[in-house]
Short mmCIF file of all heavy atoms in Angstrom, two decimals:
data_model
loop_
_atom_site.label_atom_id
_atom_site.label_comp_id
_atom_site.label_asym_id
_atom_site.label_seq_id
_atom_site.Cartn_x
_atom_site.Cartn_y
_atom_site.Cartn_z
N PRO A 78 -8.94 -4.56 -4.16
CA PRO A 78 -8.86 -5.90 -3.53
C PRO A 78 -7.54 -6.62 -3.76
O PRO A 78 -7.50 -7.83 -3.94
CB PRO A 78 -10.02 -6.64 -4.20
CG PRO A 78 -10.08 -6.05 -5.57
CD PRO A 78 -9.74 -4.59 -5.41
N TYR A 79 -6.45 -5.86 -3.80
CA TYR A 79 -5.12 -6.45 -3.97
C TYR A 79 -4.16 -5.75 -3.01
O TYR A 79 -4.49 -4.73 -2.41
CB TYR A 79 -4.63 -6.28 -5.41
CG TYR A 79 -5.49 -6.98 -6.43
CD1 TYR A 79 -6.31 -6.26 -7.29
CD2 TYR A 79 -5.49 -8.36 -6.53
CE1 TYR A 79 -7.12 -6.90 -8.22
CE2 TYR A 79 -6.30 -9.02 -7.45
CZ TYR A 79 -7.11 -8.28 -8.30
OH TYR A 79 -7.91 -8.92 -9.21
N HIS A 80 -2.97 -6.29 -2.90
CA HIS A 80 -1.94 -5.65 -2.08
C HIS A 80 -1.36 -4.46 -2.85
O HIS A 80 -1.22 -4.52 -4.08
CB HIS A 80 -0.85 -6.66 -1.73
CG HIS A 80 -1.35 -7.76 -0.84
ND1 HIS A 80 -2.14 -8.78 -1.30
CD2 HIS A 80 -1.16 -7.99 0.49
CE1 HIS A 80 -2.44 -9.60 -0.30
NE2 HIS A 80 -1.85 -9.15 0.80
N ILE A 81 -1.03 -3.40 -2.13
CA ILE A 81 -0.59 -2.16 -2.77
C ILE A 81 0.72 -1.67 -2.16
O ILE A 81 0.86 -1.59 -0.94
CB ILE A 81 -1.65 -1.05 -2.64
CG1 ILE A 81 -2.99 -1.52 -3.21
CG2 ILE A 81 -1.19 0.22 -3.36
CD1 ILE A 81 -4.12 -0.53 -2.97
N LEU A 82 1.65 -1.32 -3.03
CA LEU A 82 2.87 -0.61 -2.64
C LEU A 82 2.68 0.84 -3.06
O LEU A 82 2.47 1.12 -4.24
CB LEU A 82 4.08 -1.22 -3.33
CG LEU A 82 5.40 -0.43 -3.27
CD1 LEU A 82 5.85 -0.24 -1.83
CD2 LEU A 82 6.48 -1.13 -4.09
N PHE A 83 2.73 1.75 -2.09
CA PHE A 83 2.54 3.17 -2.38
C PHE A 83 3.90 3.87 -2.50
O PHE A 83 4.79 3.68 -1.66
CB PHE A 83 1.76 3.86 -1.25
CG PHE A 83 0.34 3.39 -1.10
CD1 PHE A 83 0.01 2.41 -0.17
CD2 PHE A 83 -0.67 3.94 -1.88
CE1 PHE A 83 -1.29 1.98 -0.03
CE2 PHE A 83 -1.98 3.51 -1.73
CZ PHE A 83 -2.30 2.53 -0.81
N LEU A 84 4.04 4.66 -3.54
CA LEU A 84 5.20 5.55 -3.70
C LEU A 84 4.69 6.98 -3.53
O LEU A 84 4.02 7.51 -4.42
CB LEU A 84 5.84 5.36 -5.07
CG LEU A 84 6.30 3.94 -5.42
CD1 LEU A 84 6.87 3.90 -6.83
CD2 LEU A 84 7.32 3.43 -4.41
N LEU A 85 4.96 7.57 -2.40
CA LEU A 85 4.51 8.93 -2.12
C LEU A 85 5.55 9.90 -2.65
O LEU A 85 6.74 9.75 -2.37
CB LEU A 85 4.31 9.13 -0.62
CG LEU A 85 3.45 8.06 0.09
CD1 LEU A 85 3.32 8.38 1.57
CD2 LEU A 85 2.09 7.93 -0.56
N GLU A 86 5.11 10.90 -3.41
CA GLU A 86 6.04 11.87 -4.00
C GLU A 86 5.69 13.28 -3.54
O GLU A 86 4.53 13.67 -3.51
CB GLU A 86 5.97 11.79 -5.53
CG GLU A 86 6.98 12.69 -6.26
CD GLU A 86 6.51 14.14 -6.44
OE1 GLU A 86 5.28 14.38 -6.36
OE2 GLU A 86 7.36 15.02 -6.66
N TYR A 87 6.72 14.01 -3.14
CA TYR A 87 6.53 15.43 -2.79
C TYR A 87 7.79 16.20 -3.16
O TYR A 87 8.88 15.88 -2.67
CB TYR A 87 6.23 15.60 -1.30
CG TYR A 87 6.06 17.05 -0.91
CD1 TYR A 87 4.98 17.79 -1.38
CD2 TYR A 87 7.00 17.69 -0.09
CE1 TYR A 87 4.83 19.13 -1.03
CE2 TYR A 87 6.86 19.02 0.25
CZ TYR A 87 5.76 19.74 -0.23
OH TYR A 87 5.62 21.07 0.10
N GLU A 88 7.64 17.14 -4.05
CA GLU A 88 8.75 18.00 -4.50
C GLU A 88 9.98 17.20 -4.93
O GLU A 88 11.11 17.51 -4.56
CB GLU A 88 9.10 19.02 -3.41
CG GLU A 88 7.97 20.02 -3.15
CD GLU A 88 8.38 21.13 -2.21
OE1 GLU A 88 9.41 20.99 -1.51
OE2 GLU A 88 7.67 22.15 -2.17
N GLY A 89 9.75 16.13 -5.69
CA GLY A 89 10.85 15.37 -6.26
C GLY A 89 11.48 14.33 -5.36
O GLY A 89 12.39 13.61 -5.78
N ARG A 90 11.02 14.24 -4.11
CA ARG A 90 11.52 13.21 -3.20
C ARG A 90 10.43 12.16 -2.98
O ARG A 90 9.24 12.46 -3.13
CB ARG A 90 11.96 13.82 -1.87
CG ARG A 90 13.24 14.64 -2.02
CD ARG A 90 13.52 15.47 -0.78
NE ARG A 90 13.84 14.67 0.38
CZ ARG A 90 15.05 14.17 0.65
NH1 ARG A 90 16.06 14.38 -0.18
NH2 ARG A 90 15.28 13.47 1.74
N TYR A 91 10.86 10.97 -2.62
CA TYR A 91 9.92 9.85 -2.52
C TYR A 91 9.99 9.16 -1.16
O TYR A 91 11.02 9.13 -0.51
CB TYR A 91 10.21 8.82 -3.61
CG TYR A 91 9.85 9.28 -5.00
CD1 TYR A 91 10.76 10.03 -5.74
CD2 TYR A 91 8.61 8.99 -5.55
CE1 TYR A 91 10.43 10.47 -7.03
CE2 TYR A 91 8.27 9.42 -6.83
CZ TYR A 91 9.18 10.15 -7.56
OH TYR A 91 8.85 10.59 -8.82
N ARG A 92 8.84 8.60 -0.81
CA ARG A 92 8.73 7.80 0.40
C ARG A 92 7.85 6.59 0.08
O ARG A 92 6.76 6.75 -0.48
CB ARG A 92 8.07 8.63 1.50
CG ARG A 92 8.02 7.97 2.85
CD ARG A 92 7.27 8.83 3.85
NE ARG A 92 7.57 8.43 5.21
CZ ARG A 92 6.89 8.83 6.28
NH1 ARG A 92 5.85 9.64 6.13
NH2 ARG A 92 7.22 8.40 7.48
N ALA A 93 8.32 5.39 0.40
CA ALA A 93 7.50 4.20 0.16
C ALA A 93 6.64 3.93 1.39
O ALA A 93 7.04 4.19 2.53
CB ALA A 93 8.39 2.99 -0.11
N ALA A 94 5.43 3.43 1.14
CA ALA A 94 4.53 3.05 2.22
C ALA A 94 3.84 1.75 1.81
O ALA A 94 3.49 1.57 0.64
CB ALA A 94 3.50 4.14 2.48
N ILE A 95 3.66 0.87 2.77
CA ILE A 95 2.96 -0.38 2.49
C ILE A 95 2.24 -0.83 3.75
O ILE A 95 2.74 -0.66 4.87
CB ILE A 95 3.94 -1.47 2.00
CG1 ILE A 95 3.19 -2.63 1.34
CG2 ILE A 95 4.85 -1.95 3.11
CD1 ILE A 95 4.08 -3.57 0.55
N GLY A 96 1.05 -1.38 3.56
CA GLY A 96 0.30 -1.89 4.69
C GLY A 96 0.49 -3.38 4.84
O GLY A 96 0.61 -4.11 3.84
N TYR A 97 0.53 -3.86 6.09
CA TYR A 97 0.48 -5.30 6.30
C TYR A 97 -0.98 -5.68 6.15
O TYR A 97 -1.81 -5.39 7.01
CB TYR A 97 1.03 -5.68 7.68
CG TYR A 97 0.86 -7.16 7.95
CD1 TYR A 97 1.50 -8.09 7.15
CD2 TYR A 97 0.03 -7.62 8.97
CE1 TYR A 97 1.33 -9.45 7.35
CE2 TYR A 97 -0.14 -8.98 9.19
CZ TYR A 97 0.50 -9.88 8.37
OH TYR A 97 0.31 -11.23 8.57
N LYS A 98 -1.29 -6.31 5.04
CA LYS A 98 -2.67 -6.51 4.61
C LYS A 98 -3.00 -8.00 4.61
O LYS A 98 -2.28 -8.79 3.99
CB LYS A 98 -2.82 -5.92 3.19
CG LYS A 98 -4.23 -5.68 2.71
CD LYS A 98 -4.19 -4.89 1.39
CE LYS A 98 -5.57 -4.51 0.91
NZ LYS A 98 -5.54 -3.71 -0.33
N GLU A 99 -4.09 -8.38 5.29
CA GLU A 99 -4.48 -9.77 5.37
C GLU A 99 -5.90 -9.94 4.84
O GLU A 99 -6.72 -9.03 4.93
CB GLU A 99 -4.46 -10.27 6.82
CG GLU A 99 -3.08 -10.38 7.43
CD GLU A 99 -3.16 -10.95 8.84
OE1 GLU A 99 -4.00 -10.47 9.62
OE2 GLU A 99 -2.41 -11.88 9.14
N ALA A 100 -6.18 -11.14 4.31
CA ALA A 100 -7.54 -11.44 3.86
C ALA A 100 -8.47 -11.44 5.07
O ALA A 100 -8.19 -12.07 6.08
CB ALA A 100 -7.57 -12.78 3.15
N ALA A 101 -9.58 -10.71 4.96
CA ALA A 101 -10.54 -10.63 6.06
C ALA A 101 -11.68 -11.63 5.90
O ALA A 101 -12.17 -12.20 6.84
CB ALA A 101 -11.10 -9.22 6.17
N ALA A 102 -12.12 -11.82 4.67
CA ALA A 102 -13.22 -12.75 4.40
C ALA A 102 -13.00 -13.31 3.01
O ALA A 102 -13.28 -12.65 2.02
CB ALA A 102 -14.57 -12.04 4.49
N GLY A 103 -12.49 -14.53 2.94
CA GLY A 103 -12.12 -15.06 1.63
C GLY A 103 -10.93 -14.28 1.10
O GLY A 103 -10.09 -13.82 1.85
N LYS A 104 -10.87 -14.10 -0.21
CA LYS A 104 -9.76 -13.38 -0.81
C LYS A 104 -10.22 -12.13 -1.55
O LYS A 104 -9.50 -11.56 -2.34
CB LYS A 104 -8.98 -14.30 -1.75
CG LYS A 104 -8.22 -15.40 -1.02
CD LYS A 104 -7.24 -16.09 -1.91
CE LYS A 104 -6.43 -17.12 -1.15
NZ LYS A 104 -5.45 -17.81 -2.00
N THR A 105 -11.44 -11.70 -1.27
CA THR A 105 -11.95 -10.51 -1.94
C THR A 105 -11.99 -9.30 -1.01
O THR A 105 -12.22 -8.19 -1.45
CB THR A 105 -13.37 -10.76 -2.49
OG1 THR A 105 -14.22 -11.17 -1.40
CG2 THR A 105 -13.35 -11.86 -3.54
N ALA A 106 -11.81 -9.53 0.28
CA ALA A 106 -11.81 -8.43 1.24
C ALA A 106 -10.54 -8.51 2.09
O ALA A 106 -10.09 -9.59 2.43
CB ALA A 106 -13.04 -8.49 2.12
N PHE A 107 -9.98 -7.34 2.41
CA PHE A 107 -8.75 -7.29 3.18
C PHE A 107 -8.89 -6.33 4.35
O PHE A 107 -9.69 -5.40 4.32
CB PHE A 107 -7.58 -6.83 2.31
CG PHE A 107 -7.14 -7.82 1.28
CD1 PHE A 107 -7.71 -7.83 0.02
CD2 PHE A 107 -6.15 -8.74 1.56
CE1 PHE A 107 -7.31 -8.74 -0.94
CE2 PHE A 107 -5.73 -9.65 0.62
CZ PHE A 107 -6.31 -9.65 -0.63
N LYS A 108 -8.09 -6.58 5.36
CA LYS A 108 -7.96 -5.60 6.44
C LYS A 108 -6.48 -5.25 6.57
O LYS A 108 -5.62 -6.11 6.44
CB LYS A 108 -8.51 -6.14 7.76
CG LYS A 108 -7.80 -7.38 8.29
CD LYS A 108 -8.49 -7.88 9.54
CE LYS A 108 -7.82 -9.16 10.08
NZ LYS A 108 -6.56 -8.92 10.75
#
């Protein structure tokens, strides 16, 4: 239930991924 920054790793190289994440119902659920 929080925002996440993903660091994807494959064979020593990295790729960042992040979702544009908004509260869906209050602040406990996100879409």
Side-chain angles (χ1 to χ4, degrees):
Y79 298 108
H80 294 75
I81 304 174
L82 168 61
F83 294 96
L84 303 178
L85 310 181
E86 185 276 340
Y87 179 67
E88 294 187 344
R90 289 168 67 83
Y91 289 86
R92 185 184 198 193
I95 196 166
Y97 175 62
K98 196 171 185 178
E99 291 183 312
K104 291 193 177 180
T105 57
F107 290 89
K108 62 184 178 75

